[in-house]
Amino acid sequence: MGQNDVLFERAQKTIPGGVNSPVRAFRQVGGTPRFVSKANGPYFWDAENTRYIDLIMSWGPMIVGHAHPEVVQAVQRAAETSFSYGAPTEGEIELAERICELMPSVEQVRMVSSGTEATMSALRLARGYTGRELIIKFEGCYHGHADSLLVKAGSGLLTFADSTQNAPSSGGVPQDLVKHTLVLPYNDVSALEEVFAKQGDQVAAVILEPIAGNMNLIRPTPEFLSAMRALTNQHGSILIYDEVMTGFRVALGGAQSLQGIVPDLTCLGKVMGGGMPMAAFGGKKEIMSKLAPLGNVYQAGTLSGNPVAVAAGLKTLEIVSRPGFYECLTGQTEKLMMGFKQAADKAGVPFAVDSVGGMFGLYFANEIPNSFEAVTKTDIEAFKKFFHAMLDEGVYLAPSAYEAGFTSIAHDNAVLDEIVAAAENSFQKI
């Protein structure tokens, strides 16, 4: 019995399922989770000291690589003056100013500690601002685990939810709460038009992953995005871009900068904290001024704007803002996708790939899916075999066919060559 097995057995006695976030349990792919002991650059080492090339990078935040010396130094310096104050700091202002500068749609921003907090608060704010209750979300999109959002949700819920269940996707969520959330198919313009024609004056907000990453990577069509922006404008509804995953990951200005859409509110997380627990929501000043202490929409947090997390976030945003960073990251990710595709073709395995910036999707299908339904029709069994074959080769992919993957600037050509060689061997095995 290896050390990972020993730790997993031990963990299950005091932690439900042995993990602190469900997808880590390897339930979809089977086998024993790898317990990480350390990480550096594009690699991590498990409890048995086996090295893996990391292709989830903490589910997105580690865009500059693990334990980047400049980020480590910034965190150490901040930690020397205490970990938390519960009072304002200049660093918070600097981070807010940087976010507003990089994302012009964000005029004011409020710091929180997690992506779930960001989306939950943005929805409350949208409801408070509009005086309406109805929220529209899309099938397969995951916006954290606030009650009203756990309806046909993506991420780990796709692994655990009963697919025959219409709503909610989780136990413990009252049906009464869920009735205020309408779920539509991603990329379905006519469904969106129909709902707004019937109930447009009741819709407080539409919340969207502008590039879905929690049902694997799914791009929105330009028609879908422009219809959504036009309809929300027309009916006085708030358009919320959930860029917790895509913000500073697909481009310096997030997905909205690539799509030319100006949302009313934006949710951020992951990269903006450089791997520390840190998130934010922001948008038009007129809407943000409804937040306490200015307005009657309440939101608070002891660790909001935590000085150590702010230091990690500021340094990470400084590094990604350097000339050529995203060109390099995008180029490397595209090169990796090409390598995967060629390896699959060589082995005669139906396979498709897609990527945006440092975020990618692998699909065991003949073409790139464009909806949740299309993702569920990909060959999940082939993915499971591939996942374990790659793990044996020392490459760690997301342990679910429903999750996007992530690269970092530390994934250089030598690392890509190693991944592609592993993929060639793995495709032959399935």
Side-chain angles (χ1 to χ4, degrees), residues 22-147:
V23 80
R24 299 176 193 173
F26 276 32
R27 286 291 175 95
Q28 191 189 64
V29 292
T32 304
R34 299 306 186 259
F35 283 72
V36 179
S37 61
K38 63 177 180 178
N40 193 273
Y43 308 110
F44 74 74
W45 287 260
D46 71 4
E48 294 163 22
N49 208 31
T50 304
R51 192 201 78 178
Y52 294 90
I53 296 173
D54 187 359
L55 283 176
I56 65 165
M57 301 308 287
S58 185
W59 302 101
M62 312 313 295
I63 196 167
V64 298
H66 289 289
H68 189 290
E70 290 180 66
V71 181
V72 171
Q73 192 183 26
V75 167
Q76 286 170 336
R77 269 204 308 265
E80 282 168 6
T81 57
S82 186
F83 307 147
S84 180
Y85 310 120
T89 65
E90 188 180 354
E92 293 169 66
I93 309 171
E94 288 175 25
L95 186 55
E97 286 169 346
R98 190 73 186 114
I99 289 168
C100 293
E101 192 184 325
L102 294 173
M103 287 189 164
S105 74
V106 178
E107 294 171 0
Q108 289 195 330
V109 64
R110 175 66 64 86
M111 309 284 168
V112 292
S113 299
S114 73
T116 290
E117 243 188 300
T119 54
M120 178 183 80
S121 305
L123 284 178
R124 183 182 301 152
L125 179 57
R127 283 175 162 143
Y129 178 77
T130 59
R132 302 172 184 179
E133 292 186 342
L134 197 60
I135 299 294
I136 293 175
K137 73 174 286 286
F138 299 93
E139 203 174 8
C141 283
Y142 176 70
H143 304 288
H145 56 89
D147 281 357

Side-chain angles (χ1 to χ4, degrees), residues 1 5 20 58 61 77 80 108 137 158 183 186 199 207 209 218 253 259 283 288 300 309 330 355 381 392 406 427:
M1 197 170 176
D5 299 285
N20 283 307
S58 185
R77 269 204 308 265
E80 282 168 6
Q108 289 195 330
K137 73 174 286 286
L158 290 180
V183 185
Y186 199 83
Q199 295 172 274
I207 187 165
E209 276 188 85
I218 307 286
Q259 296 167 350
M288 295 299 287
T330 301
S355 66
E381 289 307 310
D392 292 343
F406 303 93
F427 280 120

